[in-house]
Amino acid sequence: MKQELITFDEKNKVFHLHNDQISYLLSVEDGGTLCHLYFGKKVNNYHNQLRYPRLDRGFSGNLPGSLDRTFSRDSLPKEYSTAGEMDYHTPAAVVRQADGSNALFLTYKNYRIEDGKPDLKGLPHSWVKDKSEAQTLIVTLEDKKTELNFDLLYTIYRDRPVIVRSVKVKNAGKETVNLEKVASMQIDFVDRNFESITLPGAHAHERRVDRSKIHQGIHVFSSHRGTSSHQMNPFLALVDPDTDEFQGDAYGFAFVYSGNHKFEVEKDQFAQTHVNVGINDFNFNWQLNAGDAFQTPEVLMVYSDQGLNKMSQAFHSLIHDRIIRSKYKNEIRPIVVNNWEATYFDFNEDKLKTIVDDAKKLGIEMFVLDDGWFGHRDDDNSSLGDWKVFAKKFPRGLDHFVDYVHEQGLKFGLWFEPEMISYDSDLYKNHPDYLMHVPGRNPSPSRNQYLLDLGRKEVRDNIFNQMEKILGSGKIDYIKWDMNRHLSDIYEADLPANRQGEVYHRYVLGLYDLLERIVDAHPDLLIEGCSGGGGRFDAGMAYYDPQIWASDDSDAIDRLTIQYGTSLVYPQSMMTSHVSVSPNEQNGRITPFNTRGIVAMWGDLGYELDLTKLSQEDREAVAKQVAEYKKIRKVTQFGKFYRLKSSQTSNQCAWETVSADQNEVVLSTVKVMASAQPYLTKTKLVGLDPNKQYEDQATHEVYGGDELMNMGLYDPAEHGDFKAYMYHFKAIN
Ligand code: GLA
């Protein structure tokens, strides 16, 4: 018999979401207050003992109309706090009402449990293949005065240490209200001394791991750049001080959304930790008319009792298996040559053909034509919005070149930046109003380009139709969907003045709509996301793009930290990584070709250089890397991934992947700086079968699984900075 994943104890009013790995408990307390009881390792025998002790707390007021001084919404750990009640935590929701007040008092109304998981229309979301793999609890809280209903949605999967949360606000009243803030989730922890782990960064410097102590006060990790951003990835982990990669509690929160986000962590006066995750309330104001509903994006919450690696593995498997939809999700990704760093804007068909010819000889599988093929784009000052081939560069048309690439046995990929417009474009000449701007103000350029007002259907239709003219040929195998600036001049021409607070979110909904139409019309298209590298690397984009360009910084040593941070949340197959020239074009660093290859092999491998200019030695190296990668990519792209050592905290970086059957293992180590008197280091593998014998595919030496795990391997003590080593083991018994 199928086991229920959610139970409700009617007598004690306790909901228990559970599977073999985790439990999540919440209860209905005095005054219909929805209280958080527990999230963590599975509890088999809950006897209703752990209830929040009642205390008379000074300056923490009580329920309206009650004389009980020991019950306060200010101290009780809750599932959803609002402004205006006697709860001084950072509210999850703020709603401005017809009378000008923002006071809400949410009380428990009812609940229902559904098999499976409801789809979130218009938003990316995790999904189920069949309804038996998950259950969803929907608890409705109501505010009696406004007749607003807040549906709190909790999905638990049968086989994952994951709870997925979102909120749907329905206006069942007669008056219009304005949502000024509506978080997707809140959780309150008691008696934890958490540290936060976040992924801040910058363009070409994304997702560096930051670990900080949480002190009393409010800590905010957010973006209000209109995208999920390079500057703060939409992710947070809360960990105990002694949690590391392999041990200790880790709670991870990843937001399935590509726009403005806000993660609030508040350590309160009683050392309790309050967390909200949702759309950033900066310039957010959503008009909710009577009868309307607002659905928030969702948050993936992972619990790990064995440190960060286990947390990441749960995210990897959830995002890969149940967010990514593309037909390519389980297919090994083609090895790419991309002409961006090879030619920048300076190319024509004949020049590109020589790169294609070399790519064929070297075993590369796809040619990607990057920026500069459309309009009259010879630099980045023009033509965005004009998705017609640039005749000067392709006098015989794009198809002619695409056919050539296909004839050489390579797939063909094409770059687009669909959300943008240049002043110097036909699109601007014909539709100046499509450019997002505030009436009467000069919009701000960034990279001399501007945003399209993507909230408007007419604008999206125009871009969709233009893209269709290219994609309709059926010859394009892949597109790179780029976005090279952040939002400013926030205003949507189709909206009245009192709804301009909706623009940021409507932009993201417009983007999702456009992407959905492309995905729908071209299920065979492989889409790679990009935003000046990894500026929109989030679980929301994964719903449309199974892979994303991780960073505009292609330097192997910087990539160690970028890819390390990325791996906290996102699966390897989602991360594209290319070998480029040395000295590196972004930071001038000189690294060995071998190291550049090894680091790039941890994602979807490509080359971002002019193959025709390579020395004979480097050509041979490319051919060798390509051949080697073809042998290991199934495991590096889809195996269970472990971080062993971080170059952000040591002189080494080590990564490992293991196939599901534990028969194949890939390990790489990179030593950053050399020393005249090096300390010897060892790398110990993990996740192997201790009883199997593993053969090193290069040396044919055989090692016991337990030997590799318990004793480890000595890292080579070679001269020279930035040396990298790759090991490929296969079980022989
Ligand atoms: C962005 C991308 C690059 C390249 C350029 C082209 O910076 O991240 O990979 O496509 O745009 O303009």
Side-chain angles (χ1 to χ4, degrees):
M1 233 224 5
K2 187 188 87 192
Q3 252 221 305
E4 292 298 326
L5 298 171
I6 303 172
T7 46
F8 182 51
D9 170 353
E10 286 279 355
K11 185 165 153 268
N12 297 303
K13 300 258 177 303
V14 174
F15 297 95
H16 188 176
L17 296 87
H18 50 84
N19 60 24
D20 289 342
Q21 303 178 61
I22 54 164
S23 281
Y24 190 108
L25 287 130
L26 51 152
S27 63
V28 182
E29 303 285 335
D30 303 24
T33 309
L34 195 63
C35 168
H36 178 74
L37 289 177
Y38 175 77
F39 178 35
K41 201 167 175 153
K42 198 223 162 136
V43 175
N44 264 321
N45 295 301
Y46 176 66
H47 290 294
N48 193 35
Q49 298 307 317
L50 188 91
R51 303 300 280 256
Y52 191 79
R54 307 295 163 103
L55 290 174
D56 182 355
R57 302 275 205 182
F59 288 83
S60 287
N62 314 111
L63 289 176
S66 162
L67 294 178
D68 178 0
R69 294 188 182 197
T70 68
F71 186 88
S72 172
R73 283 193 169 197
D74 190 36
S75 53
L76 196 79
K78 285 195 308 303
E79 290 291 318
Y80 211 70
S81 298
T82 54
E85 55 181 300
M86 178 58 80
D87 176 352
Y88 296 101
H89 291 102
T90 316
V94 181
V95 181
R96 189 70 55 188
Q97 297 144 49
D99 64 6
S101 73
N102 71 359
L104 283 184
F105 195 84
L106 293 184
T107 54
Y108 171 77
K109 185 176 180 188
N110 55 33
Y111 79 95
R112 57 182 204 277
I113 295 170
E114 293 179 1
D115 283 339
K117 179 173 185 300
D119 287 348
L120 307 190
K121 216 173 149 277
L123 285 168
H125 56 270
S126 56
W127 41 270
V128 293
K129 233 183 193 159
D130 74 79
K131 286 197 167 184
S132 66
E133 69 174 279
Q135 281 191 322
T136 301
L137 167 68
I138 300 160
V139 180
T140 302
L141 305 178
E142 69 174 338
D143 177 63
K144 293 219 166 68
K145 180 176 178 231
T146 55
E147 294 180 76
L148 286 180
N149 286 332
F150 282 70
D151 284 352
L152 309 190
L153 285 82
Y154 303 80
T155 298
I156 180 164
Y157 282 88
R158 197 166 292 280
D159 299 319
R160 301 174 186 279
V162 171
I163 303 281
V164 182
R165 287 188 60 178
S166 72
V167 173
K168 187 172 191 171
V169 189
K170 289 188 223 151
N171 186 351
K174 290 184 190 59
E175 313 249 33
T176 294
V177 297
N178 283 76
L179 306 178
E180 294 181 347
K181 178 178 184 184
V182 52
S184 300
M185 60 148 292
Q186 172 190 324
I187 187 168
D188 289 358
F189 297 91
V190 179
D191 191 23
R192 304 299 298 240
N193 185 23
F194 281 135
E195 294 176 357
S196 62
I197 295 181
T198 53
L199 297 174
H203 174 231
H205 194 68
E206 296 91 339
R207 294 177 295 286
R208 298 180 69 77
V209 178
D210 181 272
R211 184 163 177 160
S212 304
K213 230 180 141 36
I214 299 286
H215 299 285
Q216 183 169 340
I218 301 167
H219 306 249
V220 175
F221 310 99
S222 67
S223 162
H224 59 258
R225 295 172 162 266
T227 75
S228 50
S229 86
H230 312 81
Q231 288 73 9
M232 189 61 73
N233 194 259
F235 162 76
L236 161 78
L238 293 177
V239 298
D240 289 332
D242 58 357
T243 295
D244 62 23
E245 288 287 7
F246 291 99
Q247 59 175 16
D249 273 6
Y251 293 89
F253 307 85
F255 197 26
V256 188
Y257 189 61
S258 313
N260 289 345
H261 58 82
K262 193 170 189 183
F263 289 67
E264 292 162 313
V265 183
E266 179 173 7
K267 192 161 182 180
D268 73 12
Q269 53 181 335
F270 312 120
Q272 298 176 173
T273 311
H274 168 92
V275 181
N276 295 326
V277 180
I279 294 178
N280 198 324
D281 54 347
F282 171 80
N283 198 358
F284 176 82
N285 189 314
W286 193 272
Q287 182 176 310
L288 197 67
N289 296 326
D292 283 358
F294 181 86
Q295 170 66 55
T296 71
E298 65 186 30
V299 179
L300 314 175
M301 297 170 57
V302 165
Y303 167 71
S304 161
D305 59 341
Q306 287 163 45
L308 294 166
N309 269 314
K310 188 173 169 194
M311 175 199 76
S312 300
Q313 286 160 2
F315 275 125
H316 293 180
S317 133
L318 178 66
I319 292 172
H320 177 268
D321 297 352
R322 291 294 178 265
I323 291 202
I324 295 177
R325 301 172 295 171
S326 163
K327 73 172 240 192
Y328 295 98
K329 63 190 284 168
N330 293 314
E331 287 187 25
I332 47 172
R333 304 298 159 76
I335 303 171
V336 162
V337 62
N338 176 305
N339 76 308
W340 177 241
E341 287 191 35
T343 63
Y344 296 102
F345 294 101
D346 182 18
F347 61 83
N348 59 28
E349 181 174 353
D350 291 339
K351 185 164 176 182
L352 296 181
K353 277 181 172 170
T354 61
I355 299 181
V356 174
D357 293 346
D358 271 3
K360 177 187 178 183
K361 287 183 204 140
L362 294 167
I364 289 171
E365 299 157 320
M366 178 153 78
F367 176 82
V368 175
L369 174 54
D370 210 280
D371 195 354
W373 60 268
F374 53 92
H376 56 275
R377 189 149 161 109
D378 271 328
D379 54 37
D380 56 16
N381 291 311
S382 84
S383 304
L384 292 167
D386 294 349
W387 302 107
K388 284 175 236 83
V389 72
F390 190 179
K392 184 182 91 181
K393 292 182 182 175
F394 297 95
R396 285 161 289 191
L398 186 63
D399 274 6
H400 185 265
F401 176 59
V402 179
D403 288 343
Y404 181 80
V405 175
H406 282 154
E407 278 156 22
Q408 307 317 304
L410 272 77
K411 292 180 187 301
F412 179 80
L414 192 61
W415 182 94
F416 283 95
E417 200 179 353
E419 299 155 69
M420 298 293 157
I421 183 166
S422 309
Y423 272 149
D424 181 4
S425 67
D426 291 343
L427 187 67
Y428 184 72
K429 269 178 219 123
N430 298 328
H431 301 283
D433 59 306
Y434 283 9
L435 188 150
M436 196 194 286
H437 67 286
V438 180
R441 292 185 189 277
N442 251 338
S444 310
S446 176
R447 207 193 190 203
N448 198 13
Q449 63 190 60
Y450 302 85
L451 282 140
L452 286 168
D453 195 346
L454 223 57
R456 293 169 63 189
K457 181 158 185 314
E458 181 189 338
V459 177
R460 300 198 295 274
D461 286 348
N462 182 300
I463 297 301
F464 178 78
N465 292 335
Q466 287 199 58
M467 289 179 78
E468 272 308 285
K469 287 210 177 106
I470 306 273
L471 300 178
S473 73
K475 293 182 177 179
I476 316 291
D477 304 297
Y478 151 115
I479 61 169
K480 177 171 167 189
W481 183 300
D482 209 341
M483 197 234 189
N484 280 315
R485 62 159 292 169
H486 288 146
L487 275 63
S488 67
D489 307 280
I490 304 304
Y491 190 87
E492 187 180 316
D494 283 355
L495 290 176
N498 62 352
R499 300 194 75 155
Q500 293 299 327
E502 300 179 12
V503 175
Y504 271 123
H505 184 51
R506 285 190 185 277
Y507 180 91
V508 181
L509 295 179
L511 166 68
Y512 289 151
D513 176 63
L514 187 53
L515 274 160
E516 188 68 37
R517 288 168 74 180
I518 298 284
V519 166
D520 207 43
H522 302 282
D524 292 340
L525 195 64
L526 173 60
I527 307 182
E528 175 163 321
C530 180
S531 176
R536 207 163 47 187
F537 205 118
D538 56 66
M541 291 314 286
Y543 192 68
Y544 311 94
D545 309 343
Q547 58 188 57
I548 300 178
W549 178 227
S551 177
D552 272 351
D553 183 352
S554 58
D555 168 62
I557 300 306
D558 282 353
R559 277 288 183 133
L560 293 178
T561 48
I562 293 168
Q563 295 177 194
Y564 194 99
T566 307
S567 80
L568 277 186
V569 196
Y570 308 102
Q572 311 89 269
S573 61
M574 208 175 138
M575 181 159 51
T576 51
S577 192
H578 294 172
V579 175
S580 60
V581 294
S582 178
N584 180 268
E585 306 239 325
Q586 290 83 43
N587 65 9
R589 185 180 279 128
I590 295 171
T591 51
F593 206 92
N594 182 50
T595 302
R596 284 177 266 151
I598 287 178
V599 174
M601 284 191 212
W602 284 94
D604 307 319
L605 175 70
Y607 290 83
E608 185 110 3
L609 40 74
D610 189 345
L611 296 169
T612 65
K613 291 191 181 140
L614 289 178
S615 66
Q616 189 51 29
E617 193 190 342
D618 285 353
R619 279 180 78 78
E620 282 163 19
V622 174
K624 234 175 104 201
Q625 282 170 1
V626 164
E628 183 59 27
Y629 185 64
K630 287 179 181 168
K631 289 189 209 144
I632 61 166
R633 65 179 150 181
K634 196 153 180 256
V635 193
T636 52
Q637 289 176 8
F638 301 111
K640 194 180 248 194
F641 181 81
Y642 294 92
R643 291 175 299 269
L644 305 180
K645 296 179 190 177
S646 160
S647 62
Q648 217 180 308
T649 49
S650 75
N651 192 32
Q652 256 191 320
C653 182
W655 294 321
E656 180 192 339
T657 45
V658 184
S659 65
D661 59 8
Q662 292 175 307
N663 282 337
E664 219 174 327
V665 184
V666 178
L667 165 75
S668 83
T669 63
V670 183
K671 182 198 63 189
V672 181
M673 301 309 286
S675 158
Q677 203 53 270
Y679 295 160
L680 288 179
T681 56
K682 287 196 276 186
T683 298
K684 292 184 185 175
L685 282 80
V686 295
L688 310 187
D689 182 335
N691 300 315
K692 283 186 176 157
Q693 310 289 319
Y694 290 89
E695 182 183 345
D696 181 326
Q697 297 301 290
T699 63
H700 302 292
E701 297 250 16
V702 174
Y703 303 83
D706 52 358
E707 187 181 356
L708 289 170
M709 292 196 290
N710 301 338
M711 301 176 74
L713 297 166
Y714 274 115
D715 299 311
E718 226 189 333
H719 268 187
D721 294 339
F722 318 129
K723 289 287 168 81
Y725 308 91
M726 184 83 130
Y727 306 83
H728 181 197
F729 299 100
K730 278 190 184 171
I732 53 173
N733 62 333

